[in-house]
Amino acid sequence: MTLLTLLLLSYSVGLIVLGVWVGRRVRGTADFFVAGRSLGPGLIFCTFLAANLGAGTTVGATGYAYRDGLAAWWWDGSAGLGSLVLAFWVGPRIWREANRLGLFTVGDFLEHHFGRGVRGLAAIIIWGVSFFILCAQLRGAGEVLERVAGIPLNLGAFFAAAGTVAYFVAGGLISAARVNLVQVVVMLVGFTLAVPFVAGSVPSVPALAADTSFWRGSSVGWHTLLLLGPAFFLSPGLIQKGFGARDADALRRGVAWNGFTLMAFACLPVVFGLVARALHPDLARPEMALPALLALDVPPVVGAFGLMAVLSAEISTADAVLYMLATSGARDFYKGFLRPYASDTEVLRVARILAVVGGLVGFALTFVFDSIGEALRLFYSLMVVTLFTPILGGLLLPRAGRWGALASMLVGVATFATIQIVTNGAGYGWAEPHFIGLCASALTYLILAVF
C-alpha cells in the first residue's frame, strides 16, 4: 500500500468518524432533514459549496477544458451565476414560506400550492433522475482511486458509496454540514496548492488558450448557462439544504459566498485542462486529465492534497444527492402517500433506509454510464424541465393551480424527450432539448394561469 493510498484511506475513515460523532445529536426528522434550522452563513456556505464542487465541477470541467479550452469556464461559472439567483431571489422567499409553514422538502412546498398529485409526480422524477448524478459522483471517485491505488473502478466506486452512506445515515444534514466543512477546507487547500505547480509545468498557459474561444466550444459555452443556471437555483437538494438556515439572511449570505467562490473556482479546471492537453495529448478519456495531472505532474505531497480534494468534491456531492433521495422518499412518498400518519421515528428510519438503497442503486449505475458528463447532463436536463415552472409558479403565480402545474411538467418532459430523440440530443442550434422543453413547460403554465 502506497503512502498516498494510506492517506486517502485515513481521510475517508476520518470523515465517517466525524459524521457518526456529530450524528449523535439527531433526535428526529427536524434535525435529520433541516438541521433544526440552525445553520449560520458559514455552514450554509460550506454545505452548499461542498455539494456544488463535485465530479462535474472538477473532473468533468477539466475534461471539458481538455477538449474545448476557455469555454469550459461556463460549466462551473454557470453554477455560480445560478447560485446568485438562489441567494438573492428564490432562496429567501422560499425559506420564509418553509419556516412559516414548517416545510421540510420541495415536495412539501409543491403540495401546499398544487396538491398531492404534483408532489407525487415531482418526487417520482426527482427520484428517477437523482441516481444519475449520484452515479457520476461515485464514478468520479472510483476513477481517482483507480488512478492512485490501482483499485478497479467499480470497486473504488463501491468504497466511495459505502463511506458516504455511513456518515450521512448517522445524522443527515446535521452531520453532512459538519463533514462538508472539513471537505471544503481540503478542497480549497488542495486545488490552490496544485495551481502553481501545474501552471509552472508549461511555458505559458495563455498561449495554450490562444486557439480556443471563451464563448463556445464543442460541448460547452455560454449556452451552458441555460442548463446549469436554473439547475442551481431550483435543485431540490440545494433548496432543502437552504431550509436548514437559521434565518433568511444566513441563507442569503452563505449561498452568495458559494456563488462567487464557484465563479472564481471555474478558472482552475480551465488551467488544469489546458495544461493536461499539452502534457498528455493522448489520454484515452478527457475526464482522466485531472487525476493524471495530480498523480504525475506535481510533487507527491501536493498531488496527495489535490487528489484528496477531488475525492472530497465527489463524496460531498454524493452526500447531497443521498440527502435529496432520502428526504424526498421518506417525506414525499412514505409519509405523503403510503403512511400519512407515520410517526416521526418511522419517517426518520425510512429516510436512513432509503439513503442506503440510494447508495446501492447509484453504485449499480456506474456499470451503465461511462461518462460523468453524460450522467450529469441527463440529470440537470430532466430536473430543470420538471421543476422550473412549478417552483417559480408557486412563488410568483400560483393561480394556474394543480392542473396547470401537472400539465406544464408533463408537457415539458414530453417535449424534451421528443426533441432529444428526434435530434439525437443536438437540439436546434444553441436551443438544446432541455431549453425547448423548459420553454414549452413555462408557456403551458402561463396559458393556464391566465385563462
Side-chain angles (χ1 to χ4, degrees):
M1 180 180 292
T2 67
L3 178 60
L4 182 52
T5 303
L6 184 61
L7 284 172
L8 289 174
L9 178 63
S10 301
Y11 173 64
S12 300
V13 171
L15 294 181
I16 296 171
V17 171
L18 175 60
V20 171
W21 181 74
V22 173
R24 298 177 306 160
R25 298 166 51 187
V26 171
R27 295 293 180 266
T29 55
D31 290 332
F32 192 90
F33 284 29
V34 294
R37 302 196 200 277
S38 63
L39 303 182
L43 282 176
I44 287 291
F45 164 73
C46 288
T47 196
F48 267 77
L49 188 62
N52 291 335
L53 289 181
T57 49
T58 55
V59 175
T62 302
Y64 284 130
Y66 186 91
R67 285 194 298 263
D68 294 342
L70 293 176
W73 182 90
W74 289 95
W75 186 261
D76 293 356
S78 296
L81 292 169
S83 296
L84 296 182
V85 175
L86 179 61
F88 295 113
W89 183 39
V90 174
R93 293 187 65 156
I94 202 169
W95 182 90
R96 293 188 188 97
E97 188 166 320
N99 186 56
R100 176 170 53 86
L101 299 173
L103 309 180
F104 285 176
T105 68
V106 168
D108 290 341
F109 170 83
L110 293 175
E111 180 172 355
H112 172 71
H113 286 285
F114 303 116
R116 294 174 74 234
V118 173
R119 176 189 193 133
L121 179 58
I124 289 171
I125 295 174
I126 289 170
W127 252 73
V129 302
S130 293
F131 290 117
F132 297 118
I133 192 171
L134 180 58
C135 158
Q137 308 312 314
L138 299 179
R139 185 175 181 87
E143 288 182 343
V144 171
L145 293 175
E146 181 182 43
R147 184 77 190 191
V148 172
I151 298 173
L153 187 150
N154 294 113
L155 182 59
F158 176 78
F159 289 153
T164 307
V165 168
Y167 77 73
F168 176 77
V169 164
L173 182 57
I174 204 167
S175 282
R178 270 66 181 185
V179 171
N180 292 160
L181 173 61
V182 176
Q183 291 167 329
V184 163
V185 171
V186 170
M187 282 189 274
L188 295 181
V189 170
F191 289 123
T192 300
L193 286 175
V195 169
F197 292 98
V198 170
S201 60
V202 294
S204 172
V205 173
L208 297 177
D211 62 343
T212 67
S213 168
F214 173 74
W215 296 104
R216 182 146 193 172
S218 62
S219 303
V220 290
W222 70 267
H223 60 285
T224 305
L225 181 61
L226 302 177
L227 172 64
L228 295 190
F232 278 79
F233 64 78
L234 295 173
S235 166
L238 296 178
I239 289 176
Q240 289 167 202
K241 278 179 176 281
F243 288 171
R246 69 186 180 207
D247 53 44
D249 183 62
L251 173 64
R252 183 182 300 108
R253 291 161 59 195
V255 178
W257 297 344
N258 152 79
F260 289 123
T261 302
L262 281 172
M263 293 169 67
F265 181 88
C267 299
L268 299 188
V270 173
V271 173
F272 293 151
L274 289 169
V275 173
R277 185 168 63 181
L279 298 179
H280 308 284
D282 299 320
L283 286 178
R285 298 177 60 246
E287 288 172 349
M288 292 306 296
L290 183 57
L293 275 181
L294 296 176
L296 302 174
D297 301 305
V298 299
V301 174
V302 175
F305 271 102
L307 288 165
M308 286 171 63
V310 174
L311 191 63
S312 292
E314 287 150 352
I315 291 175
S316 63
T317 302
D319 79 47
V321 182
L322 286 180
Y323 171 64
M324 185 162 49
L325 289 168
T327 56
S328 178
R331 184 86 173 179
D332 298 334
F333 283 131
Y334 184 73
K335 188 172 177 62
F337 289 92
L338 299 178
R339 292 288 300 276
Y341 301 104
S343 68
D344 192 72
T345 302
E346 285 181 87
V347 174
L348 179 58
R349 182 174 65 251
V350 169
R352 284 172 161 152
I353 292 171
L354 290 176
V356 176
V357 172
L360 290 174
V361 174
F363 162 68
L365 286 175
T366 61
F367 291 90
V368 177
F369 288 92
D370 62 358
S371 168
I372 292 171
E374 177 189 353
L376 289 174
R377 281 184 177 275
L378 182 58
F379 167 78
Y380 290 134
S381 297
L382 285 171
M383 185 176 64
V384 166
V385 168
T386 303
L387 296 178
F388 182 89
T389 300
I391 290 179
L392 292 188
L395 284 175
L396 304 175
L397 191 65
R399 61 182 294 180
R402 175 181 58 180
W403 296 113
L406 283 172
S408 69
M409 295 164 74
L410 293 173
V411 168
V413 171
T415 303
F416 164 73
T418 301
I419 302 298
Q420 181 78 13
I421 293 170
V422 169
T423 67
N424 197 28
Y428 299 98
W430 58 264
E432 296 184 7
H434 68 271
F435 181 71
I436 299 173
L438 187 154
C439 291
S441 174
L443 183 61
T444 301
Y445 187 90
L446 286 173
I447 291 172
L448 294 176
V450 173
F451 298 104

